[in-house]
């Protein structure tokens, strides 16, 4: 009985993976807004009612793909961190690993960092996977003595910065936390500009520009 149940579970896992693989292929053709369970079922030779037993709605399938993408880019960032050496070098390695993943999987990157999907609201279960890149960076900063940073956070942002400091588990002033967020925005923005063609005619290819930006952002946050 156990063997039979295990075989069924294995078969279900394999078909679930096939469904997600086909959905990712369609993302490259029609984007997240055009993803259709019926189209996925048709390409796999399934009737729609059978596919609904695996994913009861388009949003459920999208959520699975989003969680997978966040985990994949997070894993790429974590693997890129050598775990030793100068904190600045680790910071640069994490960002390079993140960018390499995005360039290798632009449609999955667009799913999580592109335009919002009309009619879709990401559930709470996407929050933890979405934080993996940030936590990889925080791991580098946690035991690092950051260079002193001048400046004051506006009063309306101080409470938010202090709350984020507690969540991230780092010892840093509000201005440092604000700068971390700025660096995060700058570098993910640079990845997006590169992938979505915004650098064409200016810094294309953008490899050297991204590397320079990552170095400057390391300085900006006090590394």
């Amino acid at each position: 009985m156990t063997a039979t149940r295990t075989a069924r579970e294995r078969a279900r896992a394999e078909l679930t993976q096939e469904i997600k693989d086909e959905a990712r292929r369609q993302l490259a053709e029609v984007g997240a807004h055009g993803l259709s369970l019926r189209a996925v079922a048709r390409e796999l030779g399934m009737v729609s009612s059978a596919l609904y037993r695996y994913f009861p709605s388009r949003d459920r399938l999208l959520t699975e793909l989003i969680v997978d993408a966040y985990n994949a880019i997070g894993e790429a960032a974590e693997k890129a961190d050598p775990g030793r050496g100068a904190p600045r070098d680790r910071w640069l390695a994490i960002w390079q690993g993140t960018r390499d993943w995005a360039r290798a999987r632009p449609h999955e990157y667009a799913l999580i960092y592109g335009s919002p999907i009309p009619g879709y609201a990401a559930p709470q279960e996407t929050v933890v996977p979405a934080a993996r890149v940030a936590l990889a960076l925080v791991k580098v900063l946690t035991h690092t003595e950051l260079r002193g940073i001048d400046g004051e956070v506006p009063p309306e942002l101080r409470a938010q910065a202090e709350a984020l400091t507690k969540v991230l588990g780092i010892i840093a002033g509000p201005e440092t936390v604000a700068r971390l967020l700025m660096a995060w925005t700058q570098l993910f923005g640079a990845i997006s500009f590169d992938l979505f063609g915004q650098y064409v005619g200016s810094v294309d290819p953008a490899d050297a520009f991204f590397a320079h930006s990552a170095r400057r952002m390391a300085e900006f946050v006090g590394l």
Side-chain angles (χ1 to χ4, degrees):
M1 192 63 144
T2 301
T4 301
R5 184 165 56 249
T6 301
R8 288 175 179 171
E9 291 172 352
R10 189 183 309 119
R12 181 178 180 86
E14 290 175 355
L15 185 50
T16 298
Q17 188 61 50
E18 288 182 24
I19 293 169
K20 291 197 289 187
D21 288 344
E22 174 58 28
R24 291 188 187 96
R25 190 189 67 78
Q26 291 194 20
L27 287 177
E29 294 183 353
V30 299
H33 67 282
L35 185 63
S36 163
L37 288 183
R38 290 183 179 276
V40 171
R42 182 171 59 250
E43 290 299 320
L44 293 176
M46 301 172 62
V47 295
S48 299
S49 58
L51 190 145
Y52 284 120
R53 291 199 293 269
Y54 293 82
F55 296 98
S57 67
R58 181 209 66 159
D59 285 4
R60 184 63 241 170
L61 177 55
L62 279 172
T63 296
E64 292 268 354
L65 296 177
I66 288 169
V67 167
D68 285 353
Y70 275 133
N71 278 325
I73 196 172
E75 183 178 359
E78 292 159 2
K79 287 184 174 179
D81 179 8
R84 62 183 67 184
R88 177 187 170 103
D89 292 340
R90 293 176 64 189
W91 165 280
L92 297 176
I94 288 170
W95 277 112
Q96 188 59 54
T98 300
R99 180 174 183 258
D100 288 345
W101 183 92
R103 287 172 61 84
R105 299 167 179 80
H107 302 292
E108 290 179 63
Y109 178 87
L111 179 64
I112 52 179
Y113 289 111
S115 300
I117 305 167
Y120 174 80
Q124 187 69 21
E125 69 189 270
T126 63
V127 173
V128 173
R132 287 182 65 172
V133 174
L135 292 176
L137 295 166
V138 167
K139 185 177 179 181
V140 174
L141 300 174
T142 299
H143 302 295
T144 301
E145 185 176 349
L146 298 176
R147 190 182 69 252
I149 292 176
D150 296 328
E152 289 292 331
V153 173
E156 62 270 23
L157 298 180
R158 179 173 292 274
Q160 293 176 334
E162 291 174 349
L164 187 56
T165 299
K166 294 178 181 178
V167 170
L168 295 177
I170 58 175
I171 300 174
E175 176 62 19
T176 298
V177 174
R179 290 193 178 210
L180 285 170
L181 284 173
M182 292 177 204
W184 170 269
T185 304
Q186 168 67 29
L187 293 174
F188 265 111
I191 292 172
S192 295
F193 263 48
D194 185 12
L195 291 186
F196 303 149
Q198 301 301 318
Y199 282 145
V200 174
S202 53
V203 286
D204 181 33
D207 299 9
F209 181 73
F210 183 82
H212 179 65
S213 297
R215 288 192 295 269
R216 292 305 299 270
M217 288 297 101
E219 296 170 4
F220 185 67
V221 301
L223 288 174

